[in-house]
């Protein structure tokens, strides 16, 4: 199944005309996950043609407004749409109180229930969301306040049976095929023990995505990004402004790229650029010097986690495609 | 001095691609007032080229998210900009607690102080903001929850002295000119009592604007709109959907126009249209049948309260000029 991430907002705390507040959508089949929900995220969903009714879970990284202030509006809209399905919201402890305090959002006024998952600084590695097909885990990052990073990973599918090889070894029974495929050894009619690894072709691991913002470069960021297909890592500053990165607990483009390289990520998207940079060029150049397969995340452009052979990825129309109006 | 209102968001509670959440900016010289602050208002300010640092006061009508949820983001941004000037925020009682509860917005974290003016249902007519040049008053409206409407009015300037007429009556002294102009009678050297109304040409009354949303048509709406240059009145539904207007405590376009006519407003802007209407045409037609000088408020189009002779008002580029991206 194709899975893609769509940046809805790639700016930092200061609003600019080209970049919106933090949010990434992840689409997998009919399901939608949302990472962060800065002010205006629901407009981004509209502009991207993503149905907000499809959102299953929202993952908030931290309590800075540019990652958070669009959540109440989104919930309010889902209420107006008379959503019935429960919604999962993952984020730092306190989010539940905050939502319940907002006028119009008290639990008894919404048409749907919210399942809150509260994160704490000492949580370590935590599985925060799971379906039959994928998991999302969280780890604490290293920001000025408690922030969590997230890793989405599809579960490995069962491998395909090499039917010819199995037959050669004497497996002819359909029931035994299924047992082997599900990882269990079987004994053939001829008395031969056949182990799965002899006849099952391992499926490629599921696709994965890490969302690492806001943070200094850190071990947990690297662990979240380990071997992912796509890593989104904040790169608020260039090395020339590294002092500001240290003061405000953000990463430089060089540092983000170093994390991507050390984690063995396949592809790096950077964003959350400080409003001081007129274009992404200096940040991109700096990151590519360390990790070639880097792009500046472009709002509303879908990024496939795995690009099928022969599939042409849509070309973006240049930075700030979203709502730069006149 | 030219005063204009700029609609930043003219939609209702359900977000659509063409219309944003409620907000109107009023610009007078270097000053900016904001009426309502729905989610995304700070982007609207950016798109309109209005400096958010110039905002002196924000007037919130009621605690429905589409009029309110952009306030915390705006305050957060003003904090990042290291604003120093105090900001006035007028709105229903409880707004202060709400702002202080938002992560990142506690009073001690902002760089500027906020002067809150709390409104209550039984407030009657209340002067909520005043400068040397203008006043803003509030009155309760008739919505599903407590909502306030606002009226901006420039103060009348002193009239001009008819110097020739004054001279004929024997006034020759500069000091006496000033007294007459400020409204006091004088006695001439010849012993003649001269009253101001004999020699002062009254200045035209200052320009005025009323912001009446969300509400059923009501007496207070009419009083706020009395003789204003521009009335913005919500018109969520057409008469055909009047039952919905009654249920949800909104006005129809016909009702909004009736208020404008009965109040003697010069010009009516309607908005807050329900998302059920694809275009503003049926609402506009309905309103114009009652009050000819009606327009559907267009986002980002500046509307002068008084159009100077020979001044051509900018033509809009069609509805939904703001941020309808692709």
């Amino acid at each position: 199944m194709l899975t893609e991430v769509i940046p809805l907002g790639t700016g930092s705390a200061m609003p600019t005309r080209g970049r919106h507040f933090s949010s990434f959508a992840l689409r997998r089949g009919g399901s939608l996950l949302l990472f962060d929900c800065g002010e205006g995220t629901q407009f981004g969903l509209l502009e991207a043609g993503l149905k907000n009714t499809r959102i299953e879970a929202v993952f908030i990284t931290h309590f800075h407004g540019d990652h958070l202030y669009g959540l109440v509006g989104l919930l309010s809209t889902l209420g107006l749409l008379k959503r019935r399905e429960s919604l999962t919201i993952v984020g730092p402890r306190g989010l539940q109180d905050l939502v319940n305090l907002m006028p119009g959002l008290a639990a008894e006024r919404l048409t749907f229930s919210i399942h809150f998952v509260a994160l704490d600084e000492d949580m370590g590695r935590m599985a925060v969301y799971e379906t039959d097909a994928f998991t999302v885990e969280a780890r604490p990052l290293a920001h000025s306040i408690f922030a969590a990073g997230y890793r989405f990973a599809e579960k490995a599918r069962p491998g395909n049976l090499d039917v010819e090889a199995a037959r050669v070894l004497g497996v002819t029974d359909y029931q035994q095929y299924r047992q082997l495929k599900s990882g269990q050894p079987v004994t053939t009619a001829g008395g031969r023990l056949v182990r799965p690894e002899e006849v099952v072709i391992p499926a490629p691991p599921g696709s994965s995505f890490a969302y690492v913002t806001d943070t200094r470069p850190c071990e947990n960021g690297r662990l979240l990004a380990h071997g992912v297909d796509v890593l989104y890592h904040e790169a608020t500053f260039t090395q020339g402004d590294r002092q500001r990165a240290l003061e405000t607990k953000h990463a430089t483009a060089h540092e983000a790229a170093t994390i991507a390289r050390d984690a063995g990520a396949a592809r790096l998207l950077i964003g959350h650029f400080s409003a001081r940079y007129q274009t992404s060029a200096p940040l991109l150049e700096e990151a590519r010097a360390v990790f070639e397969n880097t792009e500046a995340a472009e709002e509303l452009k879908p990024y496939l986690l795995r690009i099928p052979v022969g599939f042409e990825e849509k070309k973006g129309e240049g930075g700030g495609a979203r709502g730069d109006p006149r």
Side-chain angles (χ1 to χ4, degrees), chain A residues 165-235:
Chain A
R167 191 171 297 142
V168 167
L169 295 178
V171 184
T172 52
D173 178 63
Y174 179 69
Q175 195 60 37
Q176 291 197 330
Y177 285 171
R178 289 190 53 177
Q179 274 179 268
L180 284 162
K181 217 177 146 172
S182 71
Q184 296 161 34
V186 300
T187 303
T188 64
R192 163 77 151 88
L193 179 77
V194 179
R195 285 167 291 117
E197 51 271 35
E198 293 179 271
V199 293
V200 176
I201 304 156
S207 67
S208 53
F209 166 67
Y211 184 77
V212 182
T213 187
D214 295 358
T215 190
R216 290 287 304 142
C218 63
E219 176 66 4
N220 274 337
R222 199 183 59 72
L223 290 167
L224 288 166
H226 181 72
V228 290
D229 294 294
V230 174
L231 163 64
Y232 174 70
H233 199 293
E234 73 129 296

Side-chain angles (χ1 to χ4, degrees), chain A residues 241-257:
Chain A
D241 292 321
R242 185 159 179 274
Q243 192 52 41
R244 284 292 294 153
L246 289 166
E247 286 160 13
T248 59
K249 306 290 183 194
H250 284 295
T252 66
H254 173 89
E255 291 166 340

